[in-house]
Amino acid sequence: MADVHAAERAAGRAKGAGAPVSAPRRGGRNLRTRLVEVAFLAPAVAYLLLFFGYPVVKNIVMGFQAYTTSTFYTGEAPWVGLDNYTAVLSSAVFDRALLNTVLFTAGSIVGQFVLGLAIAVFFRRRFPLSGFLRSLILLPWLIPMIAATAVWRWILDTDNGVLNRLLTLLPFVEVRPDWLTSTTLALVAVIGVNIWLGIPFNMTILYGGLQEIPDELYEAGALDGATGWRAFRHITWPMLRPVVTVVLVLGVVYTLKVLDVILGLTNGGPANSTQTIATLSYAVSFRQFDFGQGAALGNILVLLSLAFAVVYLRMNRRAVDE
Amino acid sequence: MARRGTVRAGIAALALLPLALGACGGGSGGGTASGDPNTLRVLDYHNDDPNKTVWQGLLEDCGTEVGVTIERESVPGETLISKVLQQSSSRTLPDVLMLDNPDLQQIAATGALAPLGDYGITTEGYAEGVVDASTYEGELYGLQPVTNTIALFYNEAIFEAAGLQPPTTWDELRTTAQALTQGDQYGVAFSAMNSFEGTWQFLPFMWSNGGDERDIATSETAEALQLWVDLVSSGAASKSVVTWGQADVADQFKAGNAAMMVNGPWNFGSLAENPDLDYGIVPIPAPTAGAPVVSPFGGETWTVPRTGDEEKQAKAAEFVQCLNSDENMVAAAVGTNTVPTKPELTDEAVAQVPALESFAEQVPDLRSRTGQLGEEWPDAATKIYTAVQNALVGGMTPEDALRQAQDG
């Protein structure tokens, strides 16, 4: 995303520089400013084509090819039309993976967003050590993902995990939930860990958004009797809306493609109960060496993100227009 | 003008960037050194001790013998295949390449490896299964000096206290594991993880009962899976077996949380960290008394990639042969807790490391994972662990789970 903005800024700058010069005189000078404009654009365009355009196009093409280990040596990847997509869509795991992807994304986003927003609002009030505590919440962000998931695996272990040991210490609790080995609970556990990982991101951006809301609004609202929940409903929420949009769109796009959290915790198991399209794509490509089918799954994932982004941005534009 | 010149230079530099990056990617270990006729580039994944040091010594010795210097690169195990694929597309394959034995056929099928028969290499004296794994479409592509497999480790103190003997049949395994389950201690631990590790651990049970990877929806395989289901559903094995890798299994055994475990000799070092632990090793229990146990084997095979330099390939083949000399086989086996792949040499290794006995006696009967399916093996391996998981925690019967996995 940052790169896209950089490109837009570069383009804007190029135009801004060119416009006043080209206005009074035309001809050779105009051509020259044109060239300068192009030259300013070129690095960004080259970067985008190289690091975004090429991989995307390559991945789309791979989805239509029988791309296997042999391809790397011989360079031959026969065209197979829609075979990869048929194979992937008709496999026994796909429906489960699609459902898991939706549940995982929805569950993670709702949890991360609600908790992140609650914490951001909480920290809006200043109190002793608030800055220190706020920075502590960023910790999950700083720990390497694989290390974090390894620790969570220990915490969630059925027999010796800290969580279950603590649970048994509580009165009236007799159960030891199989966090990572039950086909129903594993998805819940994975979503829980992903929420923990996502809170800092949501909190930081939402907190930034809250800082932008002028205090005068709250003061004026308080005079009219809008405090507490009503202040949040009628002042904070409407003012925060643009930031919320960004957080949600980015959140969904990031969560759809989450791989490391699931691989580290359950590897997609047990019995495919936490398999998502992203982990399935990884397994098909790098364990079964069927890169064509893996690419097809990747493309389906890209389509999903794209569809979501388009729908959400449209809905949002309509809301703003109203 | 000056400014535009800078821009142009910038663009030019940017355009060259991928080329420069590409050169870096392929150049690690390549470059001028690979042009030297007396240097062999070796790629392997033995990057932790004792394997790292033992192999370094053997590689250097063979380098001296063949008259070349060795330029060795050791990558983490899980990245080896992607590294090889990158190198094969950029034509920067090493002169000598080590592969995990079930991967050999996959790589040989790409055409990247040279058949060793061209260099007069034969496989007399090797265990048949080991040769199968290094053969693709009738041609030999690799030589594997040492191997390992899995067996049943048992905690001597726990068995002594209970007055029990290690099990030799499936029925005994069921009852013994049940009898040793109490409190926080499980009777047995194994890995039923959703990865090839889980498949590898299931194979001795499946194969010994007559199951076959070409069609897993058979009653023989279902009976083997039923054994695992019984162990887990009776509580004699933790449900966590579906998330444990073999290292986790060893940790459980080491901590005394399991009275028995299915595992291999590469854990000797880690188990020694608990000085209070005394353990014995017996073969994996057979379906019925006296029935043969058929296990898969691990270990790495050494190959000669087609680099286009015939002279160097010949030297590399000579080098691979040196790594597989009788003397080096025993040295590697003793140094890395593995077993020579020539049955006649196993006694020599066992004499030096007695704990290897249960593994050594299995060598003649070891079965290759890729012997039947070749490059299709990864698909079958995925089906097997999927079925195992569905039967253990997915609420399916072994028959249904195997049928569903087989049908994809």
Side-chain angles (χ1 to χ4, degrees):
Chain A
M1 288 300 287
D3 311 303
V4 179
H5 291 316
E8 283 168 4
R9 275 202 301 277
R13 244 181 273 133
K15 269 186 205 142
V21 185
S22 64
R25 289 178 63 180
R26 296 185 174 276
R29 238 188 128 71
N30 197 359
L31 182 71
R32 206 159 150 194
T33 49
R34 267 285 142 108
L35 277 176
V36 173
E37 284 174 22
V38 170
F40 270 109
L41 262 179
V45 170
Y47 180 85
L48 282 177
L49 286 180
L50 209 66
F51 292 101
F52 292 89
Y54 175 74
V56 168
V57 171
K58 178 85 183 165
N59 209 49
I60 291 171
V61 173
M62 264 170 85
F64 295 108
Q65 290 174 318
Y67 205 104
T68 60
T69 40
S70 301
T71 310
F72 287 89
Y73 188 74
T74 59
E76 286 164 22
W79 195 258
V80 290
L82 288 171
D83 283 7
N84 286 332
Y85 287 91
T86 338
V88 161
L89 291 173
S90 63
S91 82
V93 217
F94 183 79
D95 294 348
R96 181 82 214 227
L98 184 63
L99 178 67
N100 284 345
T101 308
V102 172
L103 290 177
F104 178 77
T105 309
S108 300
I109 291 298
V110 169
Q112 288 172 4
F113 181 77
V114 170
L115 289 174
L117 182 60
I119 296 172
V121 170
F122 175 71
F123 277 112
R124 204 166 183 274
R125 278 185 276 165
R126 287 184 199 286
F127 52 90
L129 288 183
S130 66
F132 175 70
L133 287 175
R134 194 157 48 84
S135 52
L136 270 191
I137 292 195
L138 296 183
L139 268 181
W141 222 355
L142 304 178
I143 302 173
M145 200 86 84
I146 285 298
T149 54
V151 172
W152 274 104
R153 266 187 67 177
W154 289 338
I155 295 176
L156 296 172
D157 185 85
T158 309
D159 301 314
N160 305 306
V162 177
L163 184 60
N164 279 1
R165 291 274 155 155
L166 283 177
L167 281 179
T168 47
L169 289 180
L170 294 175
F172 313 118
V173 178
E174 294 299 322
V175 286
R176 281 189 181 185
D178 303 317
W179 294 112
L180 294 177
T181 56
S182 141
T183 45
T184 43
L185 271 185
L187 189 63
V188 176
V190 171
I191 292 174
V193 173
N194 196 48
I195 289 176
W196 173 81
L197 279 168
I199 285 175
F201 171 75
N202 284 264
M203 189 208 77
T204 311
I205 301 205
L206 291 171
Y207 183 78
L210 286 177
Q211 300 293 93
E212 298 283 302
I213 304 176
D215 282 338
E216 294 82 43
L217 287 180
Y218 290 100
E219 286 162 13
L223 289 178
D224 293 337
T227 52
W229 169 250
R230 295 185 62 169
F232 177 81
R233 171 74 186 77
H234 295 288
I235 301 171
T236 314
W237 185 250
M239 293 298 286
L240 207 54
R241 216 189 150 85
V243 182
V244 169
T245 307
V246 171
V247 168
L248 287 183
V249 172
L250 286 183
V252 168
V253 172
Y254 286 157
T255 311
L256 276 175
K257 68 179 178 61
V258 160
L259 186 69
D260 36 15
V261 177
I262 299 177
L263 284 189
L265 279 173
T266 61
N267 205 7
N272 289 323
S273 60
T274 55
Q275 196 79 264
T276 62
I277 296 181
T279 58
L280 193 61
S281 169
Y282 175 84
V284 169
S285 293
F286 296 104
R287 290 216 211 122
Q288 298 176 40
F289 302 123
D290 198 326
F291 297 92
Q293 288 189 18
L297 283 164
N299 290 333
I300 292 173
L301 202 57
V302 171
L303 276 182
L304 276 180
S305 322
L306 213 59
F308 176 82
V310 168
V311 168
Y312 193 85
L313 290 175
R314 288 231 152 173
M315 272 170 54
N316 204 56
R317 191 189 300 161
R318 203 178 305 146
V320 171
D321 289 346
E322 281 164 7
Chain B
M1 276 313 279
R3 200 183 296 162
R4 212 191 299 168
T6 321
V7 171
R8 252 190 229 155
I11 296 168
L14 199 72
L16 285 174
L17 189 68
L19 300 177
L21 288 176
C24 293
S28 52
T32 51
S34 66
D36 183 349
N38 290 318
T39 303
L40 288 186
R41 285 171 55 218
V42 179
L43 178 63
D44 69 339
Y45 62 49
H46 290 310
N47 60 350
D48 52 352
D49 279 323
N51 284 299
K52 186 180 170 185
T53 323
V54 170
W55 280 106
Q56 184 67 31
L58 291 170
L59 292 172
E60 278 168 13
D61 290 352
C62 280
T64 316
E65 196 171 316
V66 179
V68 291
T69 41
I70 296 302
E71 205 173 274
R72 181 189 186 194
E73 187 183 4
S74 299
V75 297
E78 64 275 18
T79 64
L80 181 71
I81 290 297
S82 50
K83 176 104 187 165
V84 169
L85 293 179
Q86 274 170 11
Q87 290 182 333
S88 56
S89 74
S90 61
R91 292 292 184 274
T92 50
L93 282 163
D95 300 304
V96 177
L97 169 66
M98 185 216 76
L99 289 171
D100 192 13
N101 77 73
D103 291 331
L104 178 128
Q105 305 208 8
Q106 191 79 36
I107 301 300
T110 70
L113 303 178
L116 297 182
D118 295 358
Y119 304 99
I121 292 179
T122 56
T123 55
E124 282 154 45
Y126 280 85
E128 201 186 319
V130 174
V131 177
D132 280 352
S134 289
T135 304
Y136 176 71
E137 291 186 343
E139 293 268 21
L140 181 76
Y141 287 94
L143 273 191
Q144 180 178 343
V146 290
T147 183
N148 56 37
T149 183
I150 44 180
L152 190 72
F153 289 58
Y154 65 97
N155 186 314
E156 284 177 344
I158 295 177
F159 270 76
E160 211 166 295
L164 288 170
Q165 290 297 312
T168 56
T169 65
W170 287 6
D171 283 339
E172 284 177 28
L173 176 62
R174 281 194 185 93
T175 52
T176 314
Q178 187 69 62
L180 294 174
T181 302
Q182 44 192 289
D184 281 349
Q185 174 192 308
Y186 287 101
V188 64
F190 50 87
S191 166
M193 198 187 183
N194 53 343
S195 74
F196 294 167
E197 270 185 69
T199 305
W200 148 265
Q201 287 236 328
F202 183 65
L203 286 176
F205 298 92
M206 171 175 138
W207 281 343
S208 301
N209 202 41
D212 191 290
E213 61 271 28
R214 284 172 298 190
D215 179 8
I216 57 170
T218 60
S219 58
E220 288 85 0
T221 307
E223 282 166 27
L225 187 47
Q226 186 66 50
L227 170 71
W228 274 25
V229 170
D230 290 347
L231 290 172
V232 171
S233 59
S234 70
S238 168
K239 245 180 123 182
S240 299
V241 293
V242 293
T243 59
W244 285 343
Q246 297 185 102
D248 301 308
V249 171
D251 283 342
Q252 296 293 327
F253 182 75
K254 188 162 74 174
N257 293 338
M260 297 178 272
M261 71 162 175
V262 178
N263 226 324
W266 57 90
N267 293 299
F268 289 173
S270 134
L271 294 177
E273 287 165 13
N274 180 356
D276 300 331
L277 177 72
D278 285 316
Y279 60 90
I281 305 165
V282 290
I284 284 176
T288 51
V293 176
V294 186
S295 297
F297 62 88
E300 293 74 27
T301 183
W302 294 84
T303 68
V304 177
R306 282 185 216 265
T307 51
D309 185 340
E310 271 302 324
E311 214 171 302
K312 266 196 159 182
Q313 282 178 212
K315 261 188 194 154
E318 204 184 323
F319 182 82
V320 166
Q321 232 173 340
C322 168
L323 289 177
N324 283 271
S325 72
D326 290 2
E327 187 193 335
N328 286 336
M329 267 189 195
V330 176
V334 171
T336 64
N337 289 324
T338 47
V339 190
T341 46
K342 288 185 178 171
E344 63 185 53
L345 298 175
T346 55
D347 287 348
E348 211 176 311
V350 172
Q352 295 182 57
V353 186
L356 289 172
E357 190 179 353
S358 290
F359 305 99
E361 66 193 33
Q362 298 192 50
V363 167
D365 298 322
L366 289 178
R367 179 162 153 182
S368 157
R369 280 167 276 176
T370 48
Q372 310 222 34
L373 290 175
E375 50 191 319
E376 301 299 321
W377 165 248
D379 283 341
T382 306
K383 287 176 181 171
I384 292 172
Y385 74 65
T386 306
V388 167
Q389 292 233 321
N390 274 323
L392 287 183
V393 292
M396 296 175 86
T397 64
E399 288 79 9
D400 290 348
L402 290 163
R403 166 60 53 205
Q404 194 206 51
Q406 180 65 37
D407 295 343

